[in-house]
Amino acid sequence: MTLLQADPAVIAEGVNFLWVLVVTFLIFFMHAGFAMLEAGQVRSKNVANQLTKNLLTWSVGVTLFFLVGAGVNALVGGLTGPDAVSVADAFATLAPEGANAWVGWLFGAVFAMTAATIVSGAVAGRMKLRAYVAYTVLLAAVIYPVVTGLTWAGGFLGAMGFHDFAGGVIVHAMGGVAGLTAAYVVGPRMDRYNEDGSVNVIPGHSLTFAALGTLILAFGWYGFNVGTAATVFTVSDGSLELGAFATVGRVAATTTLGMAAGAIGAAAATLYKTGKVDTLYVANGLLAGLVSVTAITDAIVWPGAVAVGLLAGIQLPIVFEFVEKRLKIDDVCAVFPVHGSAGVLGALAFPFVATEFWGGAGIGYLVDTFVVQLISVVVILAWTVVATAVVFGVIRAMGEIRVSREHEIDGLDISEHGVNTYPEFGSPDTVTDGGFTEENGIVRADGGAPNDGGIKMVTAFVRPDKLSDVKTGLAEIGAPSLTVTNVSGRGSQPAKKGQWRGEEYTVDLHQKVKIECVVADIPAEDVAVAIRDAARTGEPGDGKVFVLPVEDAYQIRTGERGTVAV
């Protein structure tokens, strides 16, 4: 049978299902962007915790959405809308019949998980993992499905005519407001605010991660918006015709223009405010521009997309500063100004930039549409705030919402997961808590008064790959305490040639690790020899070891001074 002899309905159904699956996978890939963006904005000691939250958000959340959430969505839509639905029909996802049932719930699930993962960025650095996972369970099973039930599933807000094409409010503003509420309930990080209320800036550990995560999210957003727009084929009079592709071009264009305008607006706002263009704000502004047009991208004029995107970018630093300094809420990844206020802005701006209004619909259309948009936004956000506050309020009352002070100081990577995201300075068989003891009464060569009774510092510059050997060597002689720093320098090691876009340049500063070890009861010579022996390769560039006298020492905790402080 040739293609021309095939049933057009079968071809249309197959291509349309394939399209939905492709855009579903594209939206799923946004989780890689969220993971990088959020990991880049937290301290290095909390990176693994943030990545774990992203992994569990998907894993736990998608399971609960399949088992419960998809059914709640349909049930709420039937109970609050004009069309009745039975419990059996609502939970038909658990016994799917036909390809559509298998594909449809997954397309809804990736939207749900986007809303869920937004929350993790607001509460980074201080919330217990179990508290976050518990909220994810309830969000995926109940909180988010109620919102979609009231809207996309045919509930009363959808019946009123609420326009949210791809989730600007239903997904993003809902997630942003949930994140803001959660951040308020859990409280700020312990060193975020001073006693007088002034703010301490806590930079994230990697601007590179944040920027790359932003671009991955922007890539996935085309699946979010354009993917929602398109039905590839329809069948009319027994022949194939293009489906919803009439709106695809508009959606792609307005999504792109809103994204670009958001970055420009944030850049302009920070340039005006500080005299410099803030890189992170530009990245966040790009996302805010995307969020702002997501609800309306299918039915607006292109100048409207530019205007809404610009406003979303401009409001970003203003709203973030208001949340940070006026409300005293520690929103680590700026999820409210990026997702919350930007999503609300776009939804409320819809009637002013709608193609229908600019096509001559008149003031009556503008007023009626704005009232519907406003009522819907208020209902969705009120439900989100109340539900989130109740869940986290109960968890806080149980004493399970926040890590201890000691764990927050150490970092959640170690305290919650027992891992180090950047383990260059670690080794599984290096002793870290031992001390020097004489064996069998052997008399030491220093006569029991090492370093002439004083304090000395041994400073060494060694190859980075020899650090683990040096730590082991120092532990073996009872000198486990040390400070390690990544440095660059030059000595006898020859320079190298490098290339950048075809242009050659000289690399004369080589990567080294600086080790500092202050000793009193252990001979500095023993320490120097241990480092020398452990770090030697026999090639130029092995490094140097220096021994310096230390005039005095103070222990901060006890106030002890001199050799006992060491």
Side-chain angles (χ1 to χ4, degrees):
M1 182 174 63
T2 66
L3 182 61
L4 294 177
Q5 295 173 316
D7 185 350
V10 174
I11 296 175
E13 184 178 39
V15 173
N16 290 340
F17 281 151
L18 179 61
W19 170 264
V20 171
L21 285 173
V22 169
V23 298
T24 296
F25 303 151
L26 193 59
I27 297 170
F28 166 74
F29 188 60
M30 291 175 72
H31 283 272
F34 274 117
M36 290 192 70
L37 174 63
E38 294 172 2
Q41 293 181 85
V42 303
R43 290 170 166 176
S44 59
K45 64 183 181 179
N46 296 321
V47 171
N49 178 257
Q50 203 61 28
L51 296 175
T52 304
K53 285 178 180 175
N54 279 275
L55 292 167
L56 288 177
T57 295
W58 170 260
S59 305
V60 173
V62 79
T63 303
L64 266 296
F65 185 80
F66 173 74
L67 295 174
V68 182
V72 171
N73 162 63
L75 197 60
V76 171
L79 292 174
T80 65
D83 300 324
V85 64
S86 67
V87 174
D89 290 339
F91 286 89
T93 303
L94 300 177
E97 295 182 5
N100 187 51
W102 285 103
V103 173
W105 81 268
L106 182 57
F107 187 63
V110 291
F111 281 78
M113 295 309 98
T114 299
T117 200
I118 291 170
V119 180
S120 67
V123 296
R126 74 271 202 199
M127 179 176 282
K128 288 183 178 180
L129 182 65
R130 69 192 72 166
Y132 174 76
V133 171
Y135 178 74
T136 299
V137 168
L138 292 171
L139 183 141
V142 179
I143 299 174
Y144 174 81
V146 166
V147 174
T148 53
L150 296 174
T151 52
W152 288 337
F156 81 94
L157 296 181
M160 284 174 52
F162 175 52
H163 191 98
D164 188 342
F165 175 67
V169 173
I170 294 171
V171 176
H172 291 278
M174 180 264 178
V177 169
L180 184 72
T181 306
Y184 171 77
V185 175
V186 73
R189 287 167 289 177
M190 58 183 293
D191 47 1
R192 189 69 166 95
Y193 296 97
N194 298 314
E195 292 184 1
D196 61 359
S198 58
V199 179
N200 289 318
V201 176
I202 305 177
H205 90 289
S206 175
L207 191 58
T208 303
F209 274 22
L212 289 177
T214 296
L215 294 173
I216 292 174
L217 280 171
F219 172 68
W221 224 288
Y222 284 110
F224 220 85
N225 287 2
V226 180
T228 302
T231 300
V232 183
F233 287 135
T234 60
V235 178
S236 178
D237 296 328
S239 61
L240 288 175
E241 293 183 359
L242 281 178
F245 268 78
T247 60
V248 166
R250 181 184 300 277
V251 172
T254 53
T255 296
T256 303
L257 291 173
M259 174 202 315
I264 294 170
T270 58
L271 181 62
Y272 173 79
K273 187 179 180 203
T274 67
K276 294 182 174 62
V277 176
D278 186 284
T279 305
L280 186 57
Y281 266 138
V282 172
N284 288 162
L286 185 148
L287 296 179
L290 282 166
V291 170
S292 69
V293 298
T294 292
I296 60 178
T297 184
D298 64 316
I300 60 175
V301 295
W302 72 260
V306 175
V308 171
L310 278 172
L311 288 174
I314 291 170
Q315 63 87 38
L316 177 67
I318 298 171
V319 172
F320 181 78
E321 185 173 345
F322 176 80
V323 169
E324 174 192 50
K325 296 183 178 178
R326 293 294 184 89
L327 300 182
K328 304 296 183 186
I329 298 176
D330 185 12
D331 181 357
V332 179
C333 295
V335 302
F336 179 72
V338 171
H339 300 276
S341 54
V344 170
L345 169 67
L348 297 183
F350 171 61
F352 301 95
V353 296
T355 54
E356 193 169 348
F357 174 70
W358 287 96
I363 298 298
Y365 164 83
L366 189 152
V367 173
D368 291 344
T369 304
F370 181 81
V371 170
V372 170
Q373 295 294 98
L374 179 61
I375 291 173
S376 301
V377 167
V378 169
V379 170
I380 291 170
L381 299 191
W383 158 253
T384 302
V385 170
V386 171
T388 303
V390 168
V391 172
F392 281 120
V394 170
I395 296 174
R396 185 174 68 175
M398 297 169 60
E400 293 295 330
I401 195 168
R402 187 164 184 144
V403 300
S404 67
R405 175 183 175 85
E406 292 75 16
H407 285 180
E408 190 170 343
I409 292 172
D410 292 341
L412 273 60
D413 290 1
I414 291 294
S415 62
E416 291 275 283
H417 310 285
V419 299
N420 187 345
T421 308
Y422 299 99
E424 301 97 315
F425 295 164
S427 176
D429 46 2
T430 297
V431 179
T432 60
D433 59 355
F436 179 79
T437 57
E438 296 177 343
E439 295 181 0
N440 302 322
I442 298 176
V443 179
R444 299 195 322 194
D446 55 38
N451 308 314
D452 298 323
I455 306 170
K456 290 191 177 182
M457 174 184 285
V458 180
T459 301
F461 299 88
V462 304
R463 298 176 185 270
D465 57 288
K466 300 301 292 183
L467 176 60
S468 181
D469 293 337
V470 170
K471 289 174 64 179
T472 300
L474 291 176
E476 288 174 352
I477 66 165
S481 300
L482 73 164
T483 301
V484 179
T485 313
N486 284 314
V487 296
S488 298
R490 63 184 180 187
S492 61
Q493 189 175 359
K496 297 180 180 179
K497 296 294 183 180
Q499 282 194 339
W500 180 257
R501 291 198 177 100
E503 298 292 331
E504 192 175 80
Y505 66 101
T506 301
V507 181
D508 64 342
L509 294 179
H510 304 283
Q511 295 298 313
K512 291 288 185 287
V513 168
K514 180 182 179 182
I515 298 170
E516 295 172 302
C517 186
V518 179
V519 292
D521 61 338
I522 301 169
E525 183 179 354
D526 290 357
V527 175
V529 169
I531 294 175
R532 180 198 67 189
D533 293 345
R536 180 188 292 133
T537 69
E539 299 293 330
D542 277 350
K544 300 284 192 301
V545 182
F546 303 96
V547 180
L548 306 172
V550 176
E551 185 172 337
D552 209 341
Y554 296 82
Q555 188 176 82
I556 295 175
R557 179 175 58 85
T558 64
E560 293 176 321
R561 179 179 179 182
T563 57
V564 293
V566 177

